[in-house]
Amino acid sequence: MTNRIKIATLSLNPAIDQTARVPEFTAGRVNRVEQEQSDAGGKGVNVASFLADFGGQVAVTGLLGAANAEPFVALFARKGIEDRFVRLPGRTRVNVKIVDPILDQVTDINFPGLEPHPEDLLRLTETIDSLCADTDWFVLSGSVPAGVPETLYADLVTRLKARGKRVVLDASGAPFAEAVGCGPDIIKPNIEELSELVGRPLKGRAEVLAAARLLVEQGVGLVAVSMGAAGALFVERDGAVVATPPAVKVKSTVGAGDAMVAGLVIGTLHALDLAGRARLATAFSLGALGELGPNLPGAEVVESFAAQVQVSAFEASS
C-alpha cells in the first residue's frame, strides 16, 4: 500500500475489552480467572489496529471518554495511528468477554456507552470533514450509543460518498438498515444481521446468497457474510465466492470480524480479484484468532494462512 492512501475508522461506541479466560465457566457460582487481559477496543479501533499492523496509514475518530482514555492513547502511539477522537466527559464503557477453553464457549457482557450531546456530534462531523482532505477510505463500524440518531450512519455514508470517498459499513440494527440503502462500498453482516436486515430468517446457502445479491442490486458494492467456522460468503455484482478457513487454535475471538474488514480494505487497495480479497480477509480473521487483543501476527504468518484458505465459486446447494 502506498503511503498517500489513508484510511479513517469511526467508533461511535468504543470500549475497553476485558477478556477473562475461565475454564468451565458456570453461571451462579464462583469462577476462577486463569488469565486476564484488557485492550482498547471497539470495532473501529480494532479495524485501525489491524490495518496498522499490516502497514496501513490510519486515523481513528469517534467519541471517547476522557476519564479513561489512556489505553487508547497508548495503543495509538504504539502502532502509529493518528488520534482524531472527540473527547467527552466521563468514562468509556468496559465490555467483558469470558472465554471458556474447555467448553469452547465465549460469553459477552457489554455495557452501555456514553451519551453524547448534539454539540459532541457536531464536533465529530467537523472532524470527519477535516479528515476528508487526505483520506480515501472511511470504515464506519460498531454500535450507536444512546442519544445518537439512528440515521447518523446513513447521513455519514451519504456525506462521504458525495465527496467521492470509499465507505465500509459494519453495524447492525436500525442504524445499519438506514445506511445500507445509501450505497456503501462494502458491508459485512453475519447471517443473523443479514436476516434482520432483510426481515426474514435465512435458511440455507441459497437464501443467504439471494439476500446478499438483493443488497448488491440495491447499490452495495460488496457484501461479505461471515458464517463463523463455516467461513464467509463474498458477493459482488460480477460473482460470488465462499472462503473456507482451516482449523486453527483460538486464543481469543476479540476482533476476528473486524480483522476481516481490514483484510477486505487491504485486498481492495491491492486490486485483488474477488477470490483474492476473500482469501486475504479470511487470513486476517484467522490471524486475529491466534492473538490476544486486536493484533495481527507477522505478514508471513498471514500469508501462510491465506495459502491455506480454500476459495471456490459459491454454489447455493453446497
Side-chain angles (χ1 to χ4, degrees):
M1 187 188 337
T2 60
N3 288 333
R4 61 185 176 82
I5 297 175
K6 187 162 81 172
I7 308 157
T9 73
L10 171 70
S11 296
L12 294 172
N13 207 12
I16 296 175
D17 290 325
Q18 185 174 34
T19 302
R21 183 182 172 97
V22 184
E24 297 184 305
F25 171 76
T26 305
R29 71 167 177 83
V30 175
N31 292 270
R32 304 296 181 186
V33 176
E34 183 179 87
Q35 184 179 8
E36 183 273 339
Q37 180 167 332
S38 293
D39 298 284
K43 294 180 70 62
V45 171
N46 292 341
V47 172
S49 183
F50 294 127
L51 287 168
D53 283 345
F54 216 71
Q57 184 184 8
V58 192
V60 285
T61 189
L63 305 170
L64 191 66
N68 59 343
E70 292 84 0
F72 296 89
V73 173
L75 173 70
F76 303 152
R78 186 170 73 251
K79 296 203 174 188
I81 297 170
E82 182 180 343
D83 180 3
R84 300 290 293 275
F85 264 101
V86 173
R87 278 5 185 224
L88 276 62
R91 300 176 65 83
T92 297
R93 65 187 178 135
V94 176
N95 287 341
V96 179
K97 188 178 291 285
I98 302 170
V99 179
D100 185 337
I102 304 299
L103 300 178
D104 193 25
Q105 294 177 343
V106 179
T107 301
D108 291 290
I109 304 172
N110 291 349
F111 286 72
L114 296 166
E115 295 190 24
H117 298 291
E119 56 266 30
D120 300 319
L121 298 180
L122 178 59
R123 285 194 293 150
L124 177 62
T125 301
E126 292 171 347
T127 300
I128 292 171
D129 285 344
S130 69
L131 281 166
C132 283
D134 61 352
T135 300
D136 297 289
W137 281 78
F138 286 81
V139 180
L140 317 180
S141 57
S143 59
V144 173
V148 173
E150 292 181 345
T151 57
L152 182 60
Y153 276 148
D155 295 340
L156 289 175
V157 173
T158 300
R159 189 184 192 94
L160 292 167
K161 295 295 290 184
R163 297 187 177 203
K165 305 304 177 182
R166 306 291 296 276
V167 182
V168 183
L169 178 65
D170 183 16
S172 60
F176 184 44
E178 291 279 353
V180 163
C182 300
D185 294 276
I186 298 172
I187 64 173
K188 194 208 66 62
N190 58 34
I191 292 179
E192 291 75 20
E193 291 163 344
L194 183 60
S195 298
E196 182 181 9
L197 187 62
V198 300
R200 65 182 186 276
L202 299 174
K203 300 176 182 178
R205 289 186 167 188
E207 293 188 7
V208 174
L209 177 61
R213 281 182 168 158
L214 177 62
L215 295 176
V216 170
E217 291 169 3
Q218 294 174 348
V220 178
L222 168 65
V223 180
V225 186
S226 55
M227 302 183 295
L233 167 67
F234 300 83
V235 182
E236 59 182 10
R237 188 166 296 277
D238 296 329
V241 299
V242 63
T244 305
V248 296
K249 184 176 180 179
V250 176
K251 287 187 178 178
S252 172
T253 59
V254 171
D258 305 321
M260 179 169 284
V261 170
L264 280 171
V265 173
I266 295 292
T268 305
L269 289 175
H270 284 275
L272 301 181
D273 62 11
L274 182 60
R277 280 173 280 155
R279 183 174 286 109
L280 184 62
T282 304
F284 267 52
S285 187
L286 289 169
L289 290 173
E291 301 288 324
L292 290 176
N295 303 297
L296 284 181
E300 68 283 354
V301 177
V302 174
E303 291 166 3
S304 173
F305 282 139
Q308 299 174 60
V309 175
Q310 295 182 356
V311 179
S312 56
F314 188 82
E315 296 180 7
S317 60
S318 60

